[in-house]
Structure formats: structure tokens, C-alpha cells
Amino acid sequence: MKKVAIQGGGGSNHEIAAKAYFETDNIATVECNSFEELFSTLKEDHSIYGIIAIENTLVGSILQNYTLLKDSGMVIIGEYKLRIKHQLLALPGERLEDIREVHSHPMALAQCSDFFKQYPHIKMISRDDTALSGKWIRDNQLKGMAAIAPALAAEKYNLDIIAKDIETNKRNFTRFLIISHKEKIALEDILTQQPINKSSLVFALPHAEGSLSKVLSILAFYNINLSKIQSLPVVGSEWEYLFYIDLVFEDYKRYQQSLNAIRPLTRNLKSLGEYHVGKRSFDTVSNDNKPLSEQKTF
Amino acid sequence: MKKVAIQGGGGSNHEIAAKAYFETDNIATVECNSFEELFSTLKEDHSIYGIIAIENTLVGSILQNYTLLKDSGMVIIGEYKLRIKHQLLALPGERLEDIREVHSHPMALAQCSDFFKQYPHIKMISRDDTALSGKWIRDNQLKGMAAIAPALAAEKYNLDIIAKDIETNKRNFTRFLIISHKEKIALEDILTQQPINKSSLVFALPHAEGSLSKVLSILAFYNINLSKIQSLPVVGSEWEYLFYIDLVFEDYKRYQQSLNAIRPLTRNLKSLGEYHVGKRSFDTVSNDNKPLSEQKTF
């Protein structure tokens, strides 16, 4: 059975995304209290996969996870985009009017703020994890308390959903990366199962006119497309900007040649992983029911 | 006296940044409970300036504010980068060991999470604002409660700083934009006071190979530099990506010509404002004590 390290407890969005990516409920999750702990776990045991949230359509990139990934010995082996839905969970029998405190991850609290404007007397309490907030309510049989968590957590911890889909914005997708130790990839030869057609790069650029334009021109000449670009100022550094770029391509050899072509114009060019363009859960709100494998690029 | 709408209460980082930008303590702040309220306030009264956080070195862009700005009739007239320091405030005489609950904005709670790992019994409670959490403790004389807020809030609400500079990462800068109604700018002719050498653009690009590369090449041909670029997937849209770009230039006429040159290759190209490259508060941690007017570009 596959072992997958997830951030947060069982029933979290990380577990949902892991099962969707591996297309089976039959995985053994290793629960980690933080992303730092998740990376340490993978470092110690090369047989474990990991899954980390990397960006969200509402809040953008999770820059801390980019930093952790860049500095770890791990590589991206796949991706999955999950539509995020938040449920309000409480002990069986509780009603919304009984609730005095709601506990969840700060991101989940913020994403449901419109819902709670109707209930200004409910205290919003910040905790490390969505699903574990539910587990804590169950374990301690806490009346008057609710958690914001995925539906899977309600099932797992035998809680009632007392308010459904309470997220303010329904166009709320999180992109998860599936990561693994480099040596593990070589062992399992995952890469032969699906063609590699996507890559995530990080590099720095000198403070020079048109330095990014040159890099993107070369990638275009090699028919390499982009599906993401983000500059990041590096405070207190001589090299003022880092760039995170996702590339999409058909010809793997051309992609490798393009890296050789841009390397001399960049600094610390590093691949965070080469993988197959991922799938995503369907968005029941928009008409955009196409799978992500039809990746749009620029 | 200048009237400036700020998000949050008096003593917040928005007030600190506003005073620093206008180089005077002598401003009348208009306190708004949310960024939505701030934009409504400016729409109703054209004599008021506004200030909004737009990006942070740790968490990246505040995408919601980009959306609000893009859809409002407001334009950027300036920018200021502030080093963010978080203080723990409580009623005079309170000590850290008395504290059972800490209240603040979810971002501030998250940015001080390392500090509170030593005190797992302290509940972290999410509220709309940093400074107003302190005011609420003062108004209700709440013992055992603390707020994470700037030092200015301690002064304003007569609270003690019981733990100083508790932010996890000291390289924590927030970039604020000073905004105003378009008509106000014409009236006051602010633009003649300092040369315009920076501009923030938003545009969409078609799903076409190398479409971004073409736009950046043209900007480079016109000697226009970039200081920020971020792609943003638009869920459920035929036009899959929005781009937020900051440009830096010396020759205003050349900049205008470059916009005309890229317009036919983009869709919905819009300037969010043209302004003078901003200053920032000094970073006492790094050696990087240069003012931001020496803006680095790529």
C-alpha cells in the first residue's frame, strides 16, 4: 500500500487530494503537523510520498512551500487541482444557533468570513488544521463548538454538517503537488508510466534590463509554453528576484535543450520536478467542466 | 488636512504606512472595516485618499485587493514598503504567563506562530483587525487577553507591549498602494510634483504559444523594465490567464508608446495607476539599508 505524508489530520483536503491523485482510497496516510514536519518525514523515509498545497486561485502561491521544496531533496512527481468546499461540522444534534465558537485553519476561517458576518457572536478561533479541529470537538465532546473542514472529516469523526458549502467564493481551487525523494523515483521508474510534459523551475535573474524577456524568448523559440510565472523579491539580496515558472511541452528533448539554452542567462537554475500535467476535480459552479489535462498556456 | 481611508483601526500598519508615505502625522484617518468598505468610501467622497496592502514578502500578492482595485474607479498614486513588526499587547500590569487568549488578524496570527508554539495553552483567535483587537481589550478591560498589533496601537490604546517583535520571519515587508479617485488626481495635479517612473498594469493573454514572450520582448525593445510579474489563472474563463505587471521606466513618452505597442497583443489592457517609485522603511535586520528608490528591475 502506498504511504503518503499529508499536512494536517485525516479527513483534510490533503488526504482528499492524495486519494484523488493515486485514484484509490487504499493509501496509508502519515499525518504531519506542519509542512516542515512533512519534509523531515520524507527525508527520513524514502518509501513515503508527500502531498503539499502550492497555490490557490484566491490567495495565490503558498510561498513558504516553494521555499521548503526548493531547499529539500524532494522533487515534484505529479499535481492535482481540487475544488475546495468548506463545511461547518459539529457534534450530532447540534444546531447552528447553538454554536458559540468555530475552530479551523486561518485560511479556512478567512474563506468563510462572509458566512459568519450573519453570526457576529460566533468567535473564530485559529488552529493548525481544518480536519483536526473537528476531531478535537469529537474527542472532547464539545457542545457549542464547530469546525470548518471538508465533508470527509464529518464522515471520519462522526460529526454532523450543520451548514454546507459555506465558502464565500465558489471558484476556489487549490493545486497540490505530489512529491517524493529523488532516489525513490529512480527505483520505481514512475516516469515511464506517463509522458513528462510539465516542469517547475526556479531561478534568479540579475538586475539587468530585459533579463526576463531574454529567457522567455528562448523558451518560445524552443516551443516551450508557460502555465505560470511569478516573480518574488528577495529582501536583502544582491540578486533581487527569484522566479517560479511552470513549463508545458510536448518534446522532452527540446525541453532539455531549452534548459541548457537559458542556464547561462540565469543564476541557480533548478528544476523542482518533471511530471505529467495533472487532473482536477470538476467545478460544479462554472461551466468549465474540462479536465485540466487540456492545460492552457501562454 | 489630508483625509486617508485605512483598512482597520487607528494604530494599524495601514495608518503607519499612510503617515510614512505623506511624511506627516497630521492626517485624518477614515477607519474602514474591510477593503470593500474602503473602496466604497472612496467612491462616495472623492476628497479622500486610500491606502491598501497589495503584497507581502512572505505571503505574496493580496489577490483580492488587485481584483477590487481593477474593478473600482480608483488609481494608484504612490507606494510605500513597510517592514512589519508584530508586538504582543495587553492591559498594563499583565504578564505573558497571565495570557490565555491572543486576538488578531489571521495573517498576524500565522506570522507569529513560532512564538506561540512555546505557549500551546494560549488560544489564537481570529479577528478582523490587529489594532482593533487591542482597542477591544482596552475598552472592555479584558485581563488574560492579548492582541498582536503594531507598537503604534500600544501607544494609542494605552496598552503594554508584553513581548516585542514576535514575528517569525524578520524579512517581512508589506507593500502598500496609495490610491485615489481619478478625478481627484486631475484636480490636485499630484503628478507634476514627482516624475512618473512606475506603472502597474493588468491584462489578459490568449492561450497562444509565446504570447507573454512577445509582450515582454516589446517592452524590452522600448527600454521598459519590470519589477513584478504574476500570472493568475482565471477559473471558468475562455481567456485563461490574467497578468499583473509593474513597469519601471525613465522616459514617460516611451512608456506610453510601449503601451500602444503591446495593446493589440493583449486583451483588456488597463493601467491601475502611474506613479513615482516609492520609498520604504529601513530593514534593521538585513544589511540592505538602501531606500527602495534604487528600485531593482528585470
Side-chain angles (χ1 to χ4, degrees):
Chain A
M1 201 190 321
K2 283 194 175 66
K3 282 191 284 182
V4 186
I6 62 172
Q7 198 269 337
S12 68
N13 283 313
H14 279 80
E15 182 179 355
I16 296 171
K19 288 179 170 176
Y21 176 78
F22 289 112
E23 295 179 345
T24 173
D25 279 344
N26 203 20
I27 59 173
T29 55
V30 180
E31 300 177 9
C32 301
N33 286 323
S34 65
F35 288 112
E36 286 83 356
E37 190 181 314
L38 187 147
F39 277 96
S40 307
T41 304
L42 293 191
K43 221 167 262 180
E44 280 162 26
D45 183 348
H46 294 188
S47 75
I48 304 181
Y49 295 93
I51 184 161
I52 57 167
I54 198 70
E55 61 183 319
N56 175 277
T57 44
L58 302 182
V59 302
S61 296
I62 299 165
L63 294 179
Q64 297 95 318
N65 284 354
Y66 266 115
T67 307
L68 285 169
L69 180 59
K70 181 166 67 73
D71 300 338
S72 75
M74 307 304 141
V75 290
I76 306 166
I77 62 160
E79 63 175 358
Y80 190 82
K81 290 197 184 184
L82 181 70
R83 160 98 152 78
I84 302 298
K85 297 179 184 189
H86 293 302
Q87 318 302 334
L88 193 65
L89 313 186
L91 289 177
E94 292 273 283
R95 293 161 312 164
L96 192 47
E97 46 273 37
D98 302 325
I99 301 305
R100 299 179 317 275
E101 285 187 8
V102 57
H103 294 245
S104 196
H105 188 274
M107 197 79 90
L109 293 172
Q111 290 180 356
C112 300
S113 60
D114 272 17
F115 177 82
F116 288 102
K117 275 183 189 153
Q118 314 160 57
Y119 308 101
H121 63 283
I122 298 181
K123 264 192 190 177
M124 301 184 72
I125 297 180
S126 179
R127 299 183 75 90
D128 286 342
D129 189 48
T130 56
L132 288 182
S133 301
K135 181 176 186 291
W136 171 78
I137 289 171
R138 194 274 316 266
D139 288 351
N140 297 286
Q141 290 291 304
L142 298 169
K143 296 202 169 188
M145 304 273 193
I148 301 173
L152 182 62
E155 205 181 295
K156 206 147 205 154
Y157 303 121
N158 193 27
L159 293 165
D160 278 1
I161 295 177
I162 61 170
K164 202 171 143 52
D165 298 346
I166 60 171
E167 67 276 5
T168 305
N169 192 321
K170 306 300 174 189
R171 292 186 166 176
N172 185 351
F173 277 85
T174 295
R175 177 172 169 236
F176 291 89
L177 298 178
I178 294 81
I179 58 176
S180 169
H181 199 279
K182 273 177 190 161
E183 292 171 16
K184 182 171 171 57
I185 293 186
L187 279 174
E188 300 207 355
D189 211 8
I190 293 165
L191 304 182
T192 58
Q193 297 174 16
Q194 285 181 312
I196 293 173
N197 54 12
K198 189 164 182 181
S199 165
S200 296
L201 301 182
V202 57
F203 56 85
L205 279 180
H207 166 42
E209 270 190 19
S211 53
L212 179 64
S213 166
K214 288 177 189 169
V215 169
L216 297 198
S217 293
I218 291 174
L219 293 173
F221 294 152
Y222 278 84
N223 298 113
I224 309 297
N225 294 309
L226 278 80
S227 66
K228 177 191 174 124
I229 182 166
Q230 174 154 22
S231 65
L232 185 64
V234 182
V235 176
S237 161
E238 188 191 350
W239 291 81
E240 291 277 333
Y241 290 95
L242 267 190
F243 293 84
Y244 289 105
I245 287 189
D246 283 352
L247 303 179
V248 179
F249 46 85
E250 284 181 5
D251 183 337
Y252 184 72
K253 199 174 165 198
R254 267 276 176 272
Y255 152 72
Q256 285 185 307
Q257 291 167 338
S258 76
L259 289 198
N260 290 335
I262 65 170
R263 186 168 284 112
L265 301 180
T266 61
R267 179 161 150 158
N268 297 332
L269 175 65
K270 187 173 175 179
S271 166
L272 299 175
E274 299 172 348
Y275 49 101
H276 186 77
V277 166
K279 290 175 292 186
R280 76 173 183 199
S281 61
F282 291 121
D283 182 2
T284 52
V285 175
S286 81
N287 293 321
D288 180 39
N289 275 355
K290 299 171 205 141
L292 189 81
S293 50
E294 300 164 31
Q295 169 93 53
K296 294 291 183 291
T297 56
F298 49 84
Chain B
M1 204 192 314
K2 283 194 176 68
K3 282 191 284 182
V4 186
I6 62 172
Q7 200 270 338
S12 68
N13 282 314
H14 279 80
E15 182 180 355
I16 296 170
K19 288 179 171 176
Y21 175 77
F22 289 111
E23 296 179 346
T24 173
D25 279 345
N26 202 20
I27 58 172
T29 55
V30 180
E31 300 178 8
C32 300
N33 286 322
S34 65
F35 288 112
E36 287 83 356
E37 190 182 314
L38 187 147
F39 278 95
S40 306
T41 303
L42 293 191
K43 222 167 262 181
E44 281 163 26
D45 184 347
H46 294 187
S47 75
I48 304 181
Y49 295 93
I51 185 161
I52 57 168
I54 199 70
E55 60 183 320
N56 175 277
T57 44
L58 302 180
V59 301
S61 295
I62 299 166
L63 295 179
Q64 298 96 316
N65 285 354
Y66 266 115
T67 307
L68 286 170
L69 179 59
K70 180 166 67 72
D71 300 339
S72 74
M74 306 304 141
V75 291
I76 306 166
I77 62 158
E79 63 175 359
Y80 190 81
K81 291 198 184 183
L82 181 70
R83 161 100 150 76
I84 303 297
K85 298 180 184 186
H86 293 302
Q87 318 302 333
L88 194 64
L89 313 186
L91 290 176
E94 292 273 284
R95 293 161 313 165
L96 193 46
E97 46 272 38
D98 302 324
I99 302 304
R100 301 180 317 274
E101 285 187 8
V102 57
H103 295 244
S104 197
H105 188 275
M107 196 80 90
L109 292 172
Q111 291 180 355
C112 300
S113 58
D114 273 15
F115 176 83
F116 288 101
K117 275 182 188 152
Q118 316 159 56
Y119 309 99
H121 63 282
I122 298 181
K123 263 193 191 176
M124 300 183 75
I125 298 181
S126 177
R127 298 183 75 90
D128 287 340
D129 188 48
T130 55
L132 289 183
S133 302
K135 180 174 185 293
W136 171 79
I137 289 171
R138 194 273 317 261
D139 288 351
N140 297 286
Q141 290 291 306
L142 298 170
K143 295 200 169 188
M145 305 274 193
I148 302 172
L152 181 62
E155 204 181 296
K156 207 147 202 156
Y157 303 121
N158 193 26
L159 294 165
D160 278 2
I161 296 177
I162 61 170
K164 202 172 144 50
D165 297 347
I166 60 172
E167 65 278 3
T168 304
N169 191 321
K170 306 299 176 191
R171 292 186 167 179
N172 185 352
F173 276 86
T174 295
R175 178 174 169 235
F176 291 88
L177 298 179
I178 294 80
I179 58 176
S180 168
H181 199 279
K182 272 177 192 162
E183 292 171 17
K184 182 171 171 58
I185 293 186
L187 280 174
E188 299 207 354
D189 211 8
I190 293 165
L191 305 183
T192 58
Q193 298 174 15
Q194 285 182 311
I196 294 174
N197 54 12
K198 188 163 183 182
S199 164
S200 296
L201 300 182
V202 56
F203 57 84
L205 280 180
H207 166 43
E209 270 189 19
S211 53
L212 179 64
S213 166
K214 287 176 190 170
V215 169
L216 297 198
S217 292
I218 291 175
L219 293 173
F221 294 152
Y222 279 83
N223 297 114
I224 309 296
N225 294 310
L226 278 78
S227 67
K228 175 189 176 126
I229 182 165
Q230 174 154 23
S231 66
L232 183 64
V234 182
V235 176
S237 162
E238 187 191 348
W239 291 81
E240 292 277 332
Y241 290 95
L242 267 191
F243 292 85
Y244 289 105
I245 288 190
D246 283 351
L247 302 180
V248 179
F249 46 86
E250 286 180 5
D251 183 337
Y252 184 71
K253 200 175 163 194
R254 266 275 177 273
Y255 153 72
Q256 285 185 307
Q257 290 167 339
S258 77
L259 289 198
N260 289 334
I262 64 169
R263 185 168 285 113
L265 301 179
T266 62
R267 180 162 148 155
N268 296 333
L269 175 65
K270 188 176 173 177
S271 165
L272 299 174
E274 300 172 347
Y275 48 102
H276 186 76
V277 166
K279 291 174 293 185
R280 76 174 183 198
S281 61
F282 292 121
D283 183 0
T284 53
V285 175
S286 79
N287 294 321
D288 180 37
N289 274 355
K290 298 170 206 141
L292 188 81
S293 50
E294 299 163 30
Q295 169 91 55
K296 295 290 184 291
T297 56
F298 50 84

